[in-house]
Amino acid sequence: MREDFIFPPAPPEEAPFRLHLAGTSYCDGGYVIARPRSENLWVLEYIECGTGTYEAGGVVTHPSAGDLYFVHAGTEHRYYSDARNPWVKHWINFSGPLVAELEKLYKLRDVMVVPGFSRPELFPELLHQLRLHPEQTHSRLGPEFLMAVVTTMAADLAAAHPQPAVSETGIRLRDRLDRCVFGKAPSLDELAALAARSKVQTIRIFKRDFGETPAQYLIRRKIAAACELLRSSSGMIKEIAAALGFSDEYHFAALFKRKTGFSPGRYRRRE
């Protein structure tokens, strides 16, 4: 067995990302890594070829060529290579608050393996850059790599579990409503003509695709836009109401309070 290691300079104490060790492992049947629950270390490994086993929290997986596996800090885990078809893999060991935050934001805490990771080039490229610019390990190279890997993991997992299909009619209706966030709401007759359906069928199609009626959707979008305008513009409330297509500021204010729990003025002061 052979391993090529990269041991970077020590990170600053306050660094949000800290890379401890990186490298490439050319495994054999004796390759085994086991860590206790108390170890505060994350691991990302991309398997170039071969197969093996990864155990954590009572779950057993078998990452193979093309897969990425993610070892979470604070878990008791063990991973080892198959003796007959051993791994060749690129990996990094790291820690820091940036990792914990991204793990939470992208809902990756329960993710162990990403089959067919779609950006394998990220790993050898990082190792190459770490050798060229070790002084940038913790400040730029590591964080940029982590962000790229995490967003790719999330996209790959989402693609593997696609959301229910939205009909072409539903998309046309939604696009029409989105163009009316600023301005007058289209009538149900107009939407039905766009969908080439009856009014009842139009509402049914939209609710099936998006979980709410066209009117509910458009009001929700207008209120969301109002929140952004109240936060980010200095326009008067009556000007915001007019821009969003409300007949008067009092109707707008009453609806806004019913939907958010705040009057527009109080919402703006709260921000």
Side-chain angles (χ1 to χ4, degrees), residues 219-227 246 252 255-256 259-260:
I219 287 297
R220 181 170 60 79
R221 294 280 288 149
K222 284 179 179 287
I223 294 300
C227 289
F246 288 95
F252 163 68
L255 179 63
F256 188 91
K259 295 296 184 181
T260 68

Side-chain angles (χ1 to χ4, degrees), residues 51-185:
T51 189
T53 301
Y54 167 31
E55 304 171 355
V59 178
V60 178
T61 59
H62 299 284
S64 300
D67 297 345
L68 174 145
Y69 65 89
F70 189 22
V71 179
H72 302 269
T75 61
E76 184 175 355
H77 58 266
R78 182 170 176 259
Y79 49 93
Y80 49 94
S81 182
D82 182 82
R84 291 171 297 180
N85 186 20
W87 281 327
V88 173
K89 58 196 181 85
H90 310 291
W91 50 269
I92 67 166
N93 298 349
F94 53 101
S95 65
L98 176 63
V99 190
E101 195 63 26
L102 289 174
E103 183 183 66
K104 180 175 67 175
L105 288 171
Y106 284 88
K107 298 179 173 59
L108 297 175
R109 182 61 190 172
D110 296 324
V111 173
M112 294 177 63
V113 178
V114 179
F117 182 68
S118 63
R119 295 191 64 191
E121 73 281 358
L122 290 172
F123 283 80
E125 178 60 22
L126 172 69
L127 299 178
H128 175 67
Q129 291 299 323
L130 290 175
R131 291 185 175 97
L132 291 178
H133 307 288
E135 75 285 354
Q136 297 180 18
T137 295
H138 314 290
S139 60
R140 183 177 70 82
L141 295 176
E144 287 180 355
F145 166 82
L146 180 65
M147 193 68 207
V149 169
V150 164
T151 54
T152 303
M153 289 172 67
D156 287 351
L157 292 167
H161 301 89
Q163 297 296 311
V166 174
S167 68
E168 290 185 8
T169 300
I171 291 172
R172 285 201 306 273
L173 292 168
R174 184 187 61 188
D175 290 347
R176 176 73 175 91
L177 293 170
D178 283 341
R179 291 194 295 272
C180 296
V181 170
F182 292 95
K184 183 181 176 183

Side-chain angles (χ1 to χ4, degrees), residues 190-247:
E190 291 175 289
L191 294 177
L194 178 64
R197 300 287 195 281
S198 70
K199 290 186 283 188
V200 171
Q201 288 175 315
T202 299
I203 294 172
R204 184 182 298 127
I205 290 169
F206 195 90
K207 192 167 185 179
R208 179 199 64 202
D209 284 350
F210 302 109
E212 56 191 341
T213 67
Q216 290 168 336
Y217 175 84
L218 185 56
I219 287 297
R220 181 170 60 79
R221 294 280 288 149
K222 284 179 179 287
I223 294 300
C227 289
E228 294 299 329
L229 290 171
L230 289 167
R231 275 197 293 260
S232 306
S233 79
S234 58
M236 297 175 64
I237 291 171
K238 66 178 180 180
E239 293 171 338
I240 291 173
L244 290 168
F246 288 95
S247 56

